[in-house]
Amino acid sequence: MLKRLGGCLFLLLCTVAVLALTSWPEQPAEQAPVMGIVCTASEDDWKDEQYRLLEAEAQAHGFDRMVLRTERTQQAQIDAIRALIVYRADVIVFSPMVQSGWENVLHEAKQAGIPVLAVDKSLAQTDGLAGYVGFGYRKAARQAAAYLATQGHTVAAELYGTLNASNAQEIARGFREGFEDTRTTLKYSLCGDFLRSRGYE
């Protein structure tokens, strides 16, 4: 129930941010604005539901959707964004694999007059080239670490997401902050690359 509520709140924020970022001249009634959505392959039911709800909310607010499904690489996401720029989507929404390396494609979108919105994961040093809507990962990780510390655990292991992804970095900071001034030590840290299969390994 909490996950569904969190997803709904997230998409509400997404919609507000997109509408705030996007302004286009009045169009004929039959021509709806197009939201380009870059969906990255995942092994996560939560992520799939996030994309599904994003599409549903876009439709509910009068957007036509152009969904491009990509592999889990930054270059695949960049190629998809460029394809949406060529198509002249009215707004582009994506969840960046990593924080940096987006400057060129974001400048291309700006030159084309197309707003870009990063969801779930933020971008580094965009200089206003992209908006962002996401969660308080750092605060949640602090709370989780504090809870573990109260359970009498003295050694903890961290299985983190994609290397150089903003959410993985924020969670890592939050865990370490939450263990400060406690008897719990974060002894192990391994990358799961935000994949269930890697997590099992």
Side-chain angles (χ1 to χ4, degrees):
M1 185 66 181
L2 288 175
K3 287 185 178 179
R4 185 171 294 277
L5 178 60
C8 291
L9 291 174
F10 169 72
L11 288 186
L12 178 61
L13 286 171
C14 252
T15 303
V16 171
V18 168
L19 292 176
L21 280 170
T22 310
S23 62
W24 46 75
E26 290 187 9
Q27 303 178 36
E30 67 274 7
Q31 185 178 352
V34 175
M35 178 185 290
I37 304 174
V38 179
C39 290
T40 305
S42 73
E43 297 178 358
D44 190 336
D45 295 339
W46 171 78
K47 194 72 172 178
D48 292 339
E49 181 70 359
Q50 186 182 86
Y51 284 132
R52 189 192 69 77
L53 289 172
L54 178 57
E55 287 188 58
E57 287 298 312
Q59 182 178 22
H61 286 81
F63 287 90
D64 282 340
R65 286 89 54 223
M66 173 170 278
V67 180
L68 297 186
R69 304 190 182 278
T70 72
E71 297 299 319
R72 286 179 51 82
T73 67
Q74 182 180 29
Q75 188 57 52
Q77 289 188 314
I78 289 173
D79 291 343
I81 292 171
R82 285 192 168 127
L84 290 167
I85 292 172
V86 171
Y87 180 79
R88 301 293 299 175
D90 292 286
V91 62
I92 297 172
V93 180
F94 79 120
S95 181
M97 290 291 300
V98 295
Q99 291 187 88
S100 57
W102 305 97
E103 291 81 6
N104 289 341
V105 73
L106 291 178
H107 276 292
E108 292 170 23
K110 182 177 181 179
Q111 289 173 356
I114 302 173
V116 177
L117 183 65
V119 297
D120 189 28
K121 301 174 185 177
S122 63
L123 301 169
Q125 298 176 342
T126 60
D127 296 326
L129 294 173
Y132 167 64
V133 176
F135 298 101
Y137 287 110
R138 188 170 179 176
K139 180 179 178 181
R142 279 199 304 266
Q143 293 172 338
Y147 171 78
L148 290 175
T150 64
Q151 302 306 299
H153 301 294
T154 57
V155 177
E158 173 189 48
L159 180 61
Y160 63 89
T162 307
L163 190 66
N164 194 30
S166 65
N167 58 349
Q169 293 185 355
E170 287 297 291
I171 290 170
R173 291 190 187 100
F175 273 137
R176 285 153 181 79
E177 291 168 357
F179 287 137
E180 290 177 359
D181 302 321
T182 72
R183 297 178 58 193
T184 305
T185 302
L186 186 60
K187 192 171 183 180
Y188 305 101
S189 183
L190 297 169
C191 179
D193 202 26
F194 208 66
L195 291 170
R196 185 179 290 114
S197 57
R198 286 289 302 277
Y200 287 152
E201 291 174 17

